Amino acid sequence: MTALGVIILLIIVATGVAFFIASNRYIKIYEKLEYENCTLDEEPTKQVEAEKEQYASTYTAMTITATVLCIISAIPILCGAFFTQHLSGNQIDSLMIGSVAITLILIAIGVFFFVKTNTIEDGYDIFFKLKTTRRKTSWAVKRCANTLLSTG
């Protein structure tokens, strides 16, 4: 049973690494912007400002959800501990494996919400910072701008 868990974990890690590698392709599309002085008309700027204001409620809700999920993620393990006195060896193992799995799922969902919402919010913030400073962008700026453009 433990081997199955390790296999599933390795598959999940491999999938995540594949997503990171694939996302690098999208960054290269905007790499030329690093050395160009880009300007944006007033109308698209207002449109992005409106999108950012509209996204504010989603950002707050997703951040709250992520925080709550991470906080309550310990509950399955704690609840499982209550039943250990009434179970035998294999039953305890199965219960604790299930509890840990639920805990990890809750944490994974919470972290996903944190990363997704903060990436989008940072993209908006960087967009407006770049608009006012007009300086050379870094790799992180390009990544956030790419995420903002691909989600919009």
Side-chain angles (χ1 to χ4, degrees):
M1 187 67 154
T2 304
L4 179 63
V6 172
I7 291 169
I8 291 172
L9 176 67
L10 290 174
I11 290 170
I12 292 171
V13 169
T15 304
V17 169
F19 282 131
F20 284 124
I21 292 170
S23 69
N24 189 37
R25 179 181 66 114
Y26 295 110
I27 294 171
K28 291 191 183 291
I29 294 171
Y30 299 101
E31 198 168 70
K32 64 182 179 185
L33 297 176
E34 183 174 2
Y35 300 105
E36 292 181 10
N37 188 11
C38 300
T39 58
L40 191 61
D41 294 335
E42 193 64 31
E43 185 178 324
T45 301
K46 288 181 181 180
Q47 180 183 358
V48 173
E49 286 174 351
E51 288 178 12
K52 182 180 181 189
E53 288 176 16
Q54 185 179 14
Y55 182 71
S57 62
T58 303
Y59 173 78
T60 303
M62 296 295 272
T63 302
I64 291 169
T65 303
T67 304
V68 169
L69 284 173
C70 288
I71 291 170
I72 66 169
S73 66
I75 291 175
I77 293 175
L78 296 173
C79 287
F82 289 128
F83 297 107
T84 56
Q85 333 168 8
H86 306 291
L87 302 173
S88 66
N90 283 343
Q91 292 172 328
I92 292 173
D93 290 344
S94 297
L95 175 67
M96 294 314 287
I97 288 171
S99 299
V100 169
I102 293 169
T103 295
L104 293 175
I105 289 169
L106 290 173
I107 291 171
I109 293 169
V111 169
F112 172 78
F113 286 160
F114 274 131
V115 170
K116 181 174 176 62
T117 57
N118 284 315
T119 301
I120 294 170
E121 184 71 16
D122 289 348
Y124 285 122
D125 293 342
I126 289 168
F127 173 81
F128 290 111
K129 182 178 179 182
L130 286 177
K131 184 180 180 311
T132 58
T133 60
R134 304 243 192 262
R135 64 180 183 198
K136 179 182 164 185
T137 59
S138 68
W139 179 82
V141 170
K142 289 188 292 184
R143 183 175 183 126
C144 290
N146 177 40
T147 302
L148 176 64
L149 292 172
S150 67
T151 58

mmCIF file of all heavy atoms in Angstrom, residues 76-111:
data_model
loop_
_atom_site.group_PDB
_atom_site.id
_atom_site.type_symbol
_atom_site.label_atom_id
_atom_site.label_comp_id
_atom_site.label_asym_id
_atom_site.label_seq_id
_atom_site.Cartn_x
_atom_site.Cartn_y
_atom_site.Cartn_z
ATOM 1 N N PRO A 76 -8.490 16.208 9.634
ATOM 2 C CA PRO A 76 -8.622 14.763 9.375
ATOM 3 C C PRO A 76 -7.668 13.907 10.206
ATOM 4 O O PRO A 76 -8.047 12.845 10.703
ATOM 5 C CB PRO A 76 -8.304 14.640 7.878
ATOM 6 C CG PRO A 76 -8.651 15.964 7.309
ATOM 7 C CD PRO A 76 -8.323 16.959 8.385
ATOM 8 N N ILE A 77 -6.440 14.351 10.380
ATOM 9 C CA ILE A 77 -5.486 13.573 11.181
ATOM 10 C C ILE A 77 -5.902 13.567 12.650
ATOM 11 O O ILE A 77 -5.848 12.535 13.322
ATOM 12 C CB ILE A 77 -4.057 14.120 11.012
ATOM 13 C CG1 ILE A 77 -3.588 13.880 9.583
ATOM 14 C CG2 ILE A 77 -3.097 13.478 12.008
ATOM 15 C CD1 ILE A 77 -2.249 14.470 9.252
ATOM 16 N N LEU A 78 -6.337 14.721 13.152
ATOM 17 C CA LEU A 78 -6.780 14.788 14.548
ATOM 18 C C LEU A 78 -8.018 13.930 14.782
ATOM 19 O O LEU A 78 -8.131 13.261 15.812
ATOM 20 C CB LEU A 78 -7.032 16.236 14.944
ATOM 21 C CG LEU A 78 -5.802 17.150 14.923
ATOM 22 C CD1 LEU A 78 -6.209 18.596 15.168
ATOM 23 C CD2 LEU A 78 -4.791 16.690 15.942
ATOM 24 N N CYS A 79 -8.943 13.953 13.827
ATOM 25 C CA CYS A 79 -10.143 13.110 13.956
ATOM 26 C C CYS A 79 -9.770 11.625 13.897
ATOM 27 O O CYS A 79 -10.348 10.805 14.623
ATOM 28 C CB CYS A 79 -11.147 13.440 12.862
ATOM 29 S SG CYS A 79 -11.975 15.019 13.100
ATOM 30 N N GLY A 80 -8.820 11.296 13.032
ATOM 31 C CA GLY A 80 -8.374 9.906 12.947
ATOM 32 C C GLY A 80 -7.759 9.422 14.245
ATOM 33 O O GLY A 80 -7.900 8.250 14.611
ATOM 34 N N ALA A 81 -7.108 10.319 14.962
ATOM 35 C CA ALA A 81 -6.480 9.940 16.230
ATOM 36 C C ALA A 81 -7.517 9.548 17.273
ATOM 37 O O ALA A 81 -7.229 8.732 18.156
ATOM 38 C CB ALA A 81 -5.636 11.098 16.750
ATOM 39 N N PHE A 82 -8.725 10.103 17.180
ATOM 40 C CA PHE A 82 -9.778 9.740 18.138
ATOM 41 C C PHE A 82 -10.189 8.278 18.018
ATOM 42 O O PHE A 82 -10.612 7.662 18.990
ATOM 43 C CB PHE A 82 -11.024 10.616 17.943
ATOM 44 C CG PHE A 82 -10.834 12.035 18.375
ATOM 45 C CD1 PHE A 82 -11.142 13.079 17.514
ATOM 46 C CD2 PHE A 82 -10.366 12.356 19.636
ATOM 47 C CE1 PHE A 82 -10.989 14.388 17.895
ATOM 48 C CE2 PHE A 82 -10.197 13.664 20.032
ATOM 49 C CZ PHE A 82 -10.512 14.687 19.162
ATOM 50 N N PHE A 83 -10.098 7.705 16.814
ATOM 51 C CA PHE A 83 -10.600 6.359 16.583
ATOM 52 C C PHE A 83 -9.532 5.278 16.708
ATOM 53 O O PHE A 83 -9.837 4.095 16.594
ATOM 54 C CB PHE A 83 -11.246 6.281 15.193
ATOM 55 C CG PHE A 83 -12.427 7.176 15.042
ATOM 56 C CD1 PHE A 83 -12.350 8.327 14.276
ATOM 57 C CD2 PHE A 83 -13.624 6.885 15.676
ATOM 58 C CE1 PHE A 83 -13.433 9.167 14.129
ATOM 59 C CE2 PHE A 83 -14.716 7.711 15.547
ATOM 60 C CZ PHE A 83 -14.629 8.870 14.773
ATOM 61 N N THR A 84 -8.300 5.653 16.949
ATOM 62 C CA THR A 84 -7.223 4.653 16.995
ATOM 63 C C THR A 84 -7.375 3.665 18.144
ATOM 64 O O THR A 84 -6.939 2.520 18.023
ATOM 65 C CB THR A 84 -5.844 5.335 17.085
ATOM 66 O OG1 THR A 84 -5.818 6.197 18.215
ATOM 67 C CG2 THR A 84 -5.531 6.100 15.812
ATOM 68 N N GLN A 85 -8.020 4.060 19.234
ATOM 69 C CA GLN A 85 -8.167 3.151 20.379
ATOM 70 C C GLN A 85 -9.119 2.002 20.083
ATOM 71 O O GLN A 85 -9.033 0.944 20.684
ATOM 72 C CB GLN A 85 -8.706 3.875 21.607
ATOM 73 C CG GLN A 85 -8.406 5.313 21.669
ATOM 74 C CD GLN A 85 -9.218 6.017 22.756
ATOM 75 O OE1 GLN A 85 -9.900 5.430 23.556
ATOM 76 N NE2 GLN A 85 -9.100 7.317 22.748
ATOM 77 N N HIS A 86 -10.033 2.211 19.129
ATOM 78 C CA HIS A 86 -11.071 1.220 18.849
ATOM 79 C C HIS A 86 -10.759 0.359 17.632
ATOM 80 O O HIS A 86 -11.575 -0.470 17.253
ATOM 81 C CB HIS A 86 -12.414 1.924 18.616
ATOM 82 C CG HIS A 86 -12.796 2.844 19.731
ATOM 83 N ND1 HIS A 86 -13.142 2.395 20.982
ATOM 84 C CD2 HIS A 86 -12.862 4.197 19.793
ATOM 85 C CE1 HIS A 86 -13.414 3.431 21.761
ATOM 86 N NE2 HIS A 86 -13.254 4.538 21.064
ATOM 87 N N LEU A 87 -9.579 0.538 17.038
ATOM 88 C CA LEU A 87 -9.246 -0.182 15.814
ATOM 89 C C LEU A 87 -8.017 -1.061 16.007
ATOM 90 O O LEU A 87 -7.212 -0.837 16.904
ATOM 91 C CB LEU A 87 -8.988 0.814 14.677
ATOM 92 C CG LEU A 87 -10.128 1.767 14.329
ATOM 93 C CD1 LEU A 87 -9.670 2.789 13.310
ATOM 94 C CD2 LEU A 87 -11.331 1.005 13.798
ATOM 95 N N SER A 88 -7.859 -2.056 15.126
ATOM 96 C CA SER A 88 -6.676 -2.918 15.175
ATOM 97 C C SER A 88 -5.582 -2.334 14.283
ATOM 98 O O SER A 88 -5.756 -1.291 13.658
ATOM 99 C CB SER A 88 -7.051 -4.333 14.710
ATOM 100 O OG SER A 88 -7.412 -4.305 13.341
ATOM 101 N N GLY A 89 -4.459 -3.029 14.168
ATOM 102 C CA GLY A 89 -3.277 -2.544 13.460
ATOM 103 C C GLY A 89 -3.521 -2.119 12.019
ATOM 104 O O GLY A 89 -3.194 -1.011 11.615
ATOM 105 N N ASN A 90 -4.089 -3.018 11.204
ATOM 106 C CA ASN A 90 -4.325 -2.692 9.792
ATOM 107 C C ASN A 90 -5.376 -1.608 9.636
ATOM 108 O O ASN A 90 -5.278 -0.775 8.731
ATOM 109 C CB ASN A 90 -4.748 -3.939 9.012
ATOM 110 C CG ASN A 90 -3.576 -4.842 8.713
ATOM 111 O OD1 ASN A 90 -2.429 -4.420 8.793
ATOM 112 N ND2 ASN A 90 -3.862 -6.091 8.386
ATOM 113 N N GLN A 91 -6.369 -1.610 10.477
ATOM 114 C CA GLN A 91 -7.413 -0.591 10.403
ATOM 115 C C GLN A 91 -6.845 0.792 10.751
ATOM 116 O O GLN A 91 -7.207 1.782 10.131
ATOM 117 C CB GLN A 91 -8.571 -0.939 11.339
ATOM 118 C CG GLN A 91 -9.346 -2.163 10.903
ATOM 119 C CD GLN A 91 -10.355 -2.589 11.948
ATOM 120 O OE1 GLN A 91 -10.146 -2.416 13.146
ATOM 121 N NE2 GLN A 91 -11.462 -3.166 11.482
ATOM 122 N N ILE A 92 -5.964 0.819 11.745
ATOM 123 C CA ILE A 92 -5.324 2.092 12.108
ATOM 124 C C ILE A 92 -4.483 2.606 10.947
ATOM 125 O O ILE A 92 -4.524 3.791 10.620
ATOM 126 C CB ILE A 92 -4.466 1.934 13.382
ATOM 127 C CG1 ILE A 92 -5.357 1.676 14.597
ATOM 128 C CG2 ILE A 92 -3.606 3.171 13.615
ATOM 129 C CD1 ILE A 92 -4.599 1.339 15.869
ATOM 130 N N ASP A 93 -3.727 1.692 10.327
ATOM 131 C CA ASP A 93 -2.900 2.102 9.179
ATOM 132 C C ASP A 93 -3.754 2.680 8.061
ATOM 133 O O ASP A 93 -3.443 3.728 7.500
ATOM 134 C CB ASP A 93 -2.085 0.917 8.656
ATOM 135 C CG ASP A 93 -0.986 0.498 9.612
ATOM 136 O OD1 ASP A 93 -0.656 1.292 10.527
ATOM 137 O OD2 ASP A 93 -0.460 -0.626 9.449
ATOM 138 N N SER A 94 -4.825 1.996 7.746
ATOM 139 C CA SER A 94 -5.708 2.469 6.674
ATOM 140 C C SER A 94 -6.333 3.811 7.022
ATOM 141 O O SER A 94 -6.413 4.709 6.178
ATOM 142 C CB SER A 94 -6.815 1.449 6.403
ATOM 143 O OG SER A 94 -6.269 0.249 5.942
ATOM 144 N N LEU A 95 -6.761 3.953 8.275
ATOM 145 C CA LEU A 95 -7.368 5.208 8.710
ATOM 146 C C LEU A 95 -6.371 6.351 8.637
ATOM 147 O O LEU A 95 -6.696 7.437 8.120
ATOM 148 C CB LEU A 95 -7.896 5.067 10.144
ATOM 149 C CG LEU A 95 -8.451 6.345 10.782
ATOM 150 C CD1 LEU A 95 -9.725 6.777 10.077
ATOM 151 C CD2 LEU A 95 -8.690 6.137 12.259
ATOM 152 N N MET A 96 -5.167 6.114 9.104
ATOM 153 C CA MET A 96 -4.177 7.195 9.104
ATOM 154 C C MET A 96 -3.706 7.530 7.688
ATOM 155 O O MET A 96 -3.473 8.700 7.370
ATOM 156 C CB MET A 96 -2.990 6.845 10.005
ATOM 157 C CG MET A 96 -3.376 6.758 11.488
ATOM 158 S SD MET A 96 -4.407 8.114 12.103
ATOM 159 C CE MET A 96 -3.239 9.424 12.168
ATOM 160 N N ILE A 97 -3.578 6.538 6.829
ATOM 161 C CA ILE A 97 -3.210 6.816 5.435
ATOM 162 C C ILE A 97 -4.298 7.662 4.776
ATOM 163 O O ILE A 97 -4.011 8.636 4.077
ATOM 164 C CB ILE A 97 -2.968 5.502 4.655
ATOM 165 C CG1 ILE A 97 -1.661 4.858 5.107
ATOM 166 C CG2 ILE A 97 -2.940 5.753 3.149
ATOM 167 C CD1 ILE A 97 -1.431 3.470 4.561
ATOM 168 N N GLY A 98 -5.548 7.312 5.016
ATOM 169 C CA GLY A 98 -6.649 8.101 4.473
ATOM 170 C C GLY A 98 -6.678 9.512 5.040
ATOM 171 O O GLY A 98 -6.913 10.485 4.311
ATOM 172 N N SER A 99 -6.415 9.627 6.335
ATOM 173 C CA SER A 99 -6.398 10.950 6.976
ATOM 174 C C SER A 99 -5.285 11.832 6.420
ATOM 175 O O SER A 99 -5.493 13.012 6.144
ATOM 176 C CB SER A 99 -6.214 10.804 8.487
ATOM 177 O OG SER A 99 -7.270 10.085 9.051
ATOM 178 N N VAL A 100 -4.108 11.247 6.255
ATOM 179 C CA VAL A 100 -2.991 12.006 5.683
ATOM 180 C C VAL A 100 -3.299 12.394 4.242
ATOM 181 O O VAL A 100 -3.004 13.519 3.819
ATOM 182 C CB VAL A 100 -1.679 11.200 5.783
ATOM 183 C CG1 VAL A 100 -0.570 11.839 4.971
ATOM 184 C CG2 VAL A 100 -1.261 11.058 7.237
ATOM 185 N N ALA A 101 -3.910 11.496 3.494
ATOM 186 C CA ALA A 101 -4.267 11.811 2.105
ATOM 187 C C ALA A 101 -5.242 12.984 2.037
ATOM 188 O O ALA A 101 -5.067 13.910 1.232
ATOM 189 C CB ALA A 101 -4.861 10.577 1.428
ATOM 190 N N ILE A 102 -6.241 12.974 2.889
ATOM 191 C CA ILE A 102 -7.206 14.080 2.915
ATOM 192 C C ILE A 102 -6.518 15.378 3.325
ATOM 193 O O ILE A 102 -6.770 16.441 2.745
ATOM 194 C CB ILE A 102 -8.394 13.739 3.850
ATOM 195 C CG1 ILE A 102 -9.215 12.591 3.253
ATOM 196 C CG2 ILE A 102 -9.272 14.962 4.076
ATOM 197 C CD1 ILE A 102 -10.240 12.014 4.198
ATOM 198 N N THR A 103 -5.632 15.289 4.309
ATOM 199 C CA THR A 103 -4.878 16.470 4.741
ATOM 200 C C THR A 103 -4.057 17.048 3.595
ATOM 201 O O THR A 103 -4.074 18.254 3.339
ATOM 202 C CB THR A 103 -3.962 16.114 5.926
ATOM 203 O OG1 THR A 103 -4.779 15.751 7.045
ATOM 204 C CG2 THR A 103 -3.064 17.274 6.311
ATOM 205 N N LEU A 104 -3.347 16.193 2.875
ATOM 206 C CA LEU A 104 -2.523 16.660 1.761
ATOM 207 C C LEU A 104 -3.358 17.237 0.626
ATOM 208 O O LEU A 104 -2.956 18.210 -0.018
ATOM 209 C CB LEU A 104 -1.622 15.535 1.256
ATOM 210 C CG LEU A 104 -0.534 15.085 2.226
ATOM 211 C CD1 LEU A 104 0.220 13.884 1.657
ATOM 212 C CD2 LEU A 104 0.411 16.221 2.550
ATOM 213 N N ILE A 105 -4.522 16.666 0.401
ATOM 214 C CA ILE A 105 -5.418 17.203 -0.636
ATOM 215 C C ILE A 105 -5.892 18.595 -0.253
ATOM 216 O O ILE A 105 -5.900 19.511 -1.087
ATOM 217 C CB ILE A 105 -6.604 16.243 -0.883
ATOM 218 C CG1 ILE A 105 -6.108 14.988 -1.600
ATOM 219 C CG2 ILE A 105 -7.710 16.923 -1.681
ATOM 220 C CD1 ILE A 105 -7.120 13.867 -1.674
ATOM 221 N N LEU A 106 -6.285 18.774 1.003
ATOM 222 C CA LEU A 106 -6.720 20.099 1.463
ATOM 223 C C LEU A 106 -5.596 21.125 1.338
ATOM 224 O O LEU A 106 -5.808 22.259 0.897
ATOM 225 C CB LEU A 106 -7.219 20.024 2.902
ATOM 226 C CG LEU A 106 -8.545 19.291 3.126
ATOM 227 C CD1 LEU A 106 -8.825 19.150 4.620
ATOM 228 C CD2 LEU A 106 -9.682 19.992 2.422
ATOM 229 N N ILE A 107 -4.388 20.729 1.716
ATOM 230 C CA ILE A 107 -3.239 21.641 1.603
ATOM 231 C C ILE A 107 -2.963 21.961 0.138
ATOM 232 O O ILE A 107 -2.705 23.117 -0.216
ATOM 233 C CB ILE A 107 -1.997 21.033 2.283
ATOM 234 C CG1 ILE A 107 -2.198 20.989 3.801
ATOM 235 C CG2 ILE A 107 -0.746 21.816 1.938
ATOM 236 C CD1 ILE A 107 -1.133 20.212 4.543
ATOM 237 N N ALA A 108 -3.018 20.950 -0.716
ATOM 238 C CA ALA A 108 -2.749 21.171 -2.143
ATOM 239 C C ALA A 108 -3.759 22.130 -2.761
ATOM 240 O O ALA A 108 -3.379 23.034 -3.522
ATOM 241 C CB ALA A 108 -2.768 19.837 -2.886
ATOM 242 N N ILE A 109 -5.013 21.984 -2.422
ATOM 243 C CA ILE A 109 -6.035 22.889 -2.951
ATOM 244 C C ILE A 109 -5.802 24.303 -2.427
ATOM 245 O O ILE A 109 -5.879 25.278 -3.185
ATOM 246 C CB ILE A 109 -7.450 22.382 -2.594
ATOM 247 C CG1 ILE A 109 -7.741 21.069 -3.327
ATOM 248 C CG2 ILE A 109 -8.511 23.425 -2.947
ATOM 249 C CD1 ILE A 109 -8.992 20.354 -2.846
ATOM 250 N N GLY A 110 -5.498 24.424 -1.140
ATOM 251 C CA GLY A 110 -5.228 25.746 -0.565
ATOM 252 C C GLY A 110 -4.030 26.414 -1.207
ATOM 253 O O GLY A 110 -4.078 27.599 -1.562
ATOM 254 N N VAL A 111 -2.951 25.679 -1.399
ATOM 255 C CA VAL A 111 -1.753 26.250 -2.025
ATOM 256 C C VAL A 111 -2.037 26.628 -3.471
ATOM 257 O O VAL A 111 -1.583 27.671 -3.952
ATOM 258 C CB VAL A 111 -0.561 25.265 -1.920
ATOM 259 C CG1 VAL A 111 0.599 25.701 -2.787
ATOM 260 C CG2 VAL A 111 -0.122 25.135 -0.471
#
